[in-house]
Amino acid sequence: MPISYYIILSVALFCIGVVGVLTRRNAIIIFMCIELMLNAANLLLVAFSKMHHLALGLNFPTLASEAQVFVFFIMVVAAAEVSVGLAIIVMIYRNIHSVDINFLNRLKN
Amino acid sequence: MFGNYITIPHLLIFIPLITGLLTFFIKKDSSAKAWSLFSAILTFVVSFTSLLYSKDAALSGLTFNYEWLKFIGASFSVGLDGTGRLLTLLTAIAFPLIMVATYKTNYKNAAAFYGLMLLSQAGLMGVFLSLDALLFYFFWELALIPVYFLCSRWGGEKRIQATFKFFVYTFAGSLLMLVGIIYTYLQTKGTPYAEHSFSISAFHTVMLSAADQSWLFWLFFAAFAIKMPVFPFHTWQPDAYEQSPTAVTMVLSGIMVKMGLFGVIRWLLPVFPLAAIQYDNIVIGLSVIGIIYASLVAIKQDDLKRLVAYSSIAHIGLMSAALFTTKPVAIEGVMIQMFSHGINIIGLWIVIDLLEKQLGVRRISQLGGVAHKAPFLTIALLVIAFANIALPLTNAFVGELMMFNGLFQFNKWYAAVAGISIILAAVYMLNMIKNVFLGEANTLTQTVKEISLNEKIVLSVILVAIFMVGIYPQPFFDLTKESVTYITTKLK
Amino acid sequence: MSVTQILFWFLSLLAIGGAVMVVASRNPVHSILYLIITFFAISGHYVLLNAQFLAIVNIIVYAGAIMVLFLFVVMLMNLNAESEPPSKSKYLLYSGVIAGCSLLLIMVAAIKKSDAASQLTQLKDGEVGLISNLGKTLFTDFVFPFEISSVLFLSAMIGAVIISKKETGTETENL
Amino acid sequence: MVGIIGSAVILGSFILSLYAFMQVKSGNTHIAHYFNFINTESLKIGFDFQVDQLSSIFLLIITGVGFLIHVYSTSYMHEEESKDFAKYFAYLNLFVFSMLLLVMGANYIIMFIGWEGVGLCSYLLIGFWFKNNHYNDAAKKAFVMNRIGDLGFLLAVFWLVSKLGTANYTDVFANVKNLTATDITGITLLLFLGATGKSAQIPLYTWLPDAMAGPTPVSALIHAATMVTAGIYMIARSNILFTMAEVTQPVIAMVGLATALLAATIALKQNDIKKVLAYSTVSQLGYMFLGLGVGAYTGAVFHVMTHAFFKALLFLGAGSVIHAMGGEQDMRNMGGLKKYMSITHLTFLLGCIAIAGIPPFSGFFSKDEILAAAFAKNPVYWVLGVLGALMTAFYMFRLYAMTFRGQFRGTHEQAHHLHESPAAITIPLSILAILAVVGGLVGIPAVFKEGGHRLEAFLQPIFAGSNDYIKAKGHSHHLSHSTEYILMAVSVLGALIALGYAWSKFSKYQKAAAEEETGLAKVLANKWYVDELYNSIIVKPVQSLGTFFNNVVEKRGIDGIVNGVGRAVNYGSRQIRLLQSGQIGTYVLLMIIGALLLFIIQLFV
Amino acid sequence: MNAIILTAVWGIIMMFGGVFFKRKSTALYWAVAGIVLVLAANFYELVNQQPFIEINVREMLHFNSFNLTFITVALASTLLYFLLSGRDIEKVGSNVSEYFALIFFVLCGVCISATFNTLLTLFLGIEIMSIPLYILTGSDKRNLKSNEAALKYFLMGSFSTGIMLMGIVFVYGGNSAGSFFIDNINLGEGKLPVLVAIGLVLLMVSMAFKVSAAPFHFWTPDVYDGAPTVFTSFMATIVKAAGFIAFIRLFEYGFGKAQTQWQVLIAIITAATLFIGNLTAVFQQSVKRMLAYSSIAQAGFMLLAIFALNDIAKEGLVLYTAAYSLASIGIFAILIRMNDYTVDGFNGLARQQPLLAAAATICLLSLTGIPLTAGFTSKFFMLLAAVKNGHHLWLVIFAVLCAAVSAYYYFRVIQAMYFKEPGADVIINGVTPAFKYLLVIVAALIIILGLFPGAITNWLHY
């Protein structure tokens, strides 16, 4: 399976995530789109790892596994971010009873 | 001399610096005044002694060198050559004069005022003494900052904008110069510690292609042209002079504008000789335009300070034009003229200040007939004014004679056009004399009183200087001979 | 066309379709559900790439923990389609879509003309993705990041706590 | 007291210059080097004094006439309060100092120092009564116009220095041959410009009549006898240059002639006694330049001398009249003063005859010498010159007749204290009168007495160079005696006729109720409107140019640009900060666009 | 290494401290003690070039005198920051010791991202740095501005994290070595593979975001403005500096050899940053917001180091971070205590608190880059490096012109302090003698660094 397929797939996912961030105004949805972007990265990372494994696996057996461990760490970070992010969103909601980012424009210019 | 660590250059820089810093902590205004005056006089004495060593007046003259930033080849090296000695002398003479002349004016929070004055003196000294490009830039800025505070704290009502314009203008210029310095620095040969060096010798021996020179020249010229100022970079000057307190105006116009000329003499011409010759026509053309332009504008001024400001622009224009002719006679003329112009213009300011202190106005149209009540003041003013328009046997005559001479050698027509300014100068000066001092006294000027003793003394000192230089200028030529020959050989 | 290829195409379409729906659907709850679908598709890809460990973790952590957390929050705020009324000015929407698409376009165009594109990736076989290997790597080579990420969690934990703790006092300004 | 000191000093210098004159006469001229004024590689100016025939003559004139006028002043100025009295003498002595500097300097720079010094003194003395702003304006005018001339002088000097590297007379005149024709033409023209300024020639003469604002002795000393002749001295001094300047000489001659005629015509219609004398001075100076222009340097110097005598005499006489009339200067209010002030009248009459050029009075010899030379050069010069002479005779006797003859036309209280002036005034008058009568005898032309022209003989060394040059060129044709006789006869006869006409016309002069001048007369009375012309073509434009620069170019133009930059920054700031809309969407969008940009540059450029 | 461990450990200590400390002030003392300890330990490591305990990190971190010096600088500035503004941290909210704990964690992140050697540790470091900051930004919970800032910061921050990850992935995929180690991905002068090129751009974007370089700076003004001023001060100085160190480290070791291929990008970013930062700052009325923009402008100057990428650039960067942190911490410390954050709020400060005004002036002059202050020396180094690099001289000219503009807004504050009449009776409160002395020390340090930059740069060659 040519790597380009995977690249395009995950780039597509990534860009969809970007579009989401650009177009939606619900903080939670935006956040989800960001998660989507992260996952796109993960997917591509795994694909690349297997690609490198195919290329150099004989000389460096453990080489490709690094990438997958990296994915693992990404998930870790994502989890941490989510906990903080949702906390912030909840805090906002507590104060203005909305998560619409358009209501957040006290800071400008 | 006095051992290896305290040389005259150091004293010249550090006496005002340290005393100035101390001044901030003086509580009583009067004692602050006295203290700063004392320090200024001390500096004068030192710089006067420096004249005794005028034999070894090469750039390596009374130098001292301390590896300051070894790893980039910058060093705290200061020294006195002829030019430096001349201008440090001017600075050293000017400050006591200024302080005595304005001794009566009570600036509120005097400690700060005089402290800043002394700091600016230190900065000026540094500019004239530094033999290291980076150090030069350092002092170049340091001289500016105290003046900025002085003007915008104690100045007139539009002071803040005026001063700020002045500041940003010069700051921008000097930053461009900084880029120029850096680029040139990267072309220099190294020191034992660093691959390049900021020392003046390295700069003067740097090998720059004509192409490089032709754009570096403008980076440096921007800074100097703004400082001098050369038309059309002059518009900060009248406002600044008008707004700042007279004592500071004296520093600005008497000494600070010389920084620009000095920069040209010490850095621009020797480092970029090719460009200097390549662009001489542009620069001289600008200067000559500036001379006529400023003289014409001066004719229409009603505010005494603005009048003097524009006349100063005209004179400086002549000096810069003369410098770029690169004719030795012209450069000698500039040397002596830098000194004379400083003395004359300070004299003019003193007179104006005395009038303003008594009558509270500077508008020519509101004055008249002062001569009846204050003959001494009038006579002093007459002498200074005629010195300012370069009447023979006054100091300015010698300089202008030689500068015009050089300009003529460079190109007859420049000399002819610039020469018109001596007529225009007569026009605006005599107008001023007529409308302020002659004629019938009006209700306001009825109240004028003759000036006090110490003011008389100050003015007499200035008159003496005027005639001394005007009748026997030779010592100054001897003083600056080496530097002039040095530059002219550089420009060969 | 082999089974794997069929699977690949199916999963890809599923993932992209889900992703699009996440962005498109008005109702947050639906978005979340679509996102979960996408994640499942991606996990499927992991399986396809023979990275079982990640596939499992992805399902547990993402589809399981994280998305549930999201869902929970959304439910808590009981957000629905009305919570985000379509904004008057559509320019941001269009420009956003255009920008995203052109980003995609540029990247794809770049990749197309790159030689790396032709490189193959390894599907079913290849042992790297197995827990045993990963575990070994993780606890030998990657022990330091593993430890240090605890700091991350600590700070996240503290953060979550102090953010959501009830503060006494009224609205303050300019601190 | 002050007066005595002042006068005594000048007397002393007169005695010294007599001594110097004797020395020179016995043939040892001297150049004294005092110290280096400027001494650098590129320019060497010594503070040197030179005493030779030319300068010694001028020394005598200056100190002699100067002394007499000092004496005169002691009485004339005694109404001034002591402070101003002292100031007056200070200025006067300063003037004599600068004048001596001018004539004794051994190089052009020293001469220039004196040159501007006398200008300064004339400025100070014209504006002596500085309460009156018209006087101040007159003073300013004088100084500025002199400055214009000075510029020419300076440029000429620069030219010399840049070509020959020196300004010393001896070196310059020795190396004249190294100068190209253009150099010489340029230099001489510029020098001549300087001369026109100082010696009140077209186009820079208008300051001199206004300069009469000063005290009358000042007019006598500075604006008649000495300062205004500086230009002649300078050209005579550098005669060799001018002799070699083929182009310049005619110019000088014509300008001189034109000035002589113009001033004479104006003088015809002036009623202010001092104004008449002023214009006559301008006109006489014109003659001197005519002489210089035609190469009659001796004649010019000779005329300087005689003119110094009789013009000083006339001015002082006028002063004594004005004194008697209590400051009245309008001749229409005078008349019949003959019987009140006999000495003044007599001396004045002698002066008039002298200037009218009636033999054997001094004016005749000098003027005749110039005219003869003019004829030799070009008869047209001579004709016009004689015309001028006639006018001179006419207006001088118009002046004399209106003042001393006929009935007194002044007010009664004026009539009351009409009196002869004190000795301090009359003695100088008498001495000058004697000089005016006999002064011409030092230059008796060859036609009467071979070698009678002692002055020429005396000055011979100065003009030797020129004469040799002319000889070399070979066009130095002398007039035959007969022609000379005819010429003299014609001019003298004309002068007598004009004189008689004036006498008959004005000796019975009565003040008409309202004499409204018309046509040419009006033009003359208004001095050909030259002042107005200058005002409108030079002064006004300069002023308005200044206004334009000050209000438009400076404020809107240059400063506008500078401030414009500042305003632009402000404006830009106000606009750019609107990017910061506060919307995350916008932010991310801009970020993405930025990223896109980078991608394009990185991947496709 | 010492620093990383100790900060982490001390963070935990502070965290538990929250339970035990009776009085708020205790937390501050402990925090100061901790930072001093860490500083000492790190300095020890800098001098001896080895930590207390060797931990085999498998080359994932790399310590050299450069980044150790930087860490020292960062810790030292943190110490000053604690001393100057510690009291104000207590005012933010009830749980002080947790704030300190978070700050220590941030410092841990700073140390990691200054010493990272693989893209993984870079990623972790940046995250450890960012996540606590999201919280600190929002720590003033009742203040809507603070909330808003927190959310903006969080959303955009994690967005940039996504971009960074994508970049890392592409770089990983693109280099045939298939490794995350930055010196393995350094491919040499040859034309970069497209994948790596894409990754490079993405990484550049995300790093530019972290150091708030235009056009990725938009979060900065809002976040700095909204966050509690104490934490703004911390974010704007130490954290941003760390970002730069990471930036230059990544691009020097990771892509240094291929610099010519991406230099123009940095040039553009730099120009844009200078332009927008300086120009927008001119019009700001609130000093706090003005400082936010000025921090962008300063970032523009620091970017010159990454543009130049030579030894002088690195020396200059460390110097710059020191100078900039000192000045900003000083000026912020004063700002925090002001009643009124607008420029007019400073009117006549010189009359009431001459010493404070003088210190503030020196800080501002340093930020403007006037000689004798550290600000000048560091700017000078930057220009020197950029000119030495030799390409794109227009950028240098542009930079100095922008510096001239910067005088405009810094001097507005000086003018307000010295040349305007005071409005309110008391314009600043909580000025203890200790505070004054500390400010004097800060000012003195600025001057000393301005005269003897060797004091820092020499350590780089230690």
Side-chain angles (χ1 to χ4, degrees), chain B residues 165 231-232 234-235 293 300-301 310 329 332 372 389 391-392 404 408 412 422 431 434 439 470 473-474, chain D residues 35 37 39-42 116 130-131 136-137 140 143 147 158-159 543 546-547 549-550 554 558-559 562:
Chain B
K165 182 168 156 193
F231 174 90
H234 63 274
T235 47
Y293 175 85
K300 302 308 287 182
Q301 297 307 319
Y310 279 106
V329 60
E332 280 152 353
H372 304 291
I389 62 180
L391 212 68
F404 272 117
F408 191 92
K412 292 184 179 55
I422 72 172
N431 271 333
K434 178 190 146 210
Q474 195 52 39
Chain D
F35 60 87
F37 183 52
N39 177 17
T40 65
E41 281 80 356
S42 45
E116 285 234 318
F130 61 80
K131 279 193 181 56
N136 297 330
D137 288 329
K140 205 180 79 193
F143 192 85
R147 263 280 151 135
F158 296 149
W159 202 323
Q543 291 283 346
T547 325
F549 280 162
N550 186 25
E554 186 76 351
I558 299 166
D559 207 14
V562 176

Side-chain angles (χ1 to χ4, degrees), chain A residues 7-37:
Chain A
I7 298 178
I8 293 171
L9 169 60
S10 44
V11 167
L13 287 174
F14 184 80
C15 290
I16 292 169
V18 171
V19 172
V21 174
L22 284 170
T23 50
R24 298 304 296 267
R25 305 200 312 284
N26 182 330
I28 298 181
I29 309 279
I30 292 175
F31 191 20
M32 279 157 53
C33 294
I34 290 168
E35 291 300 329
L36 188 59
M37 289 159 67

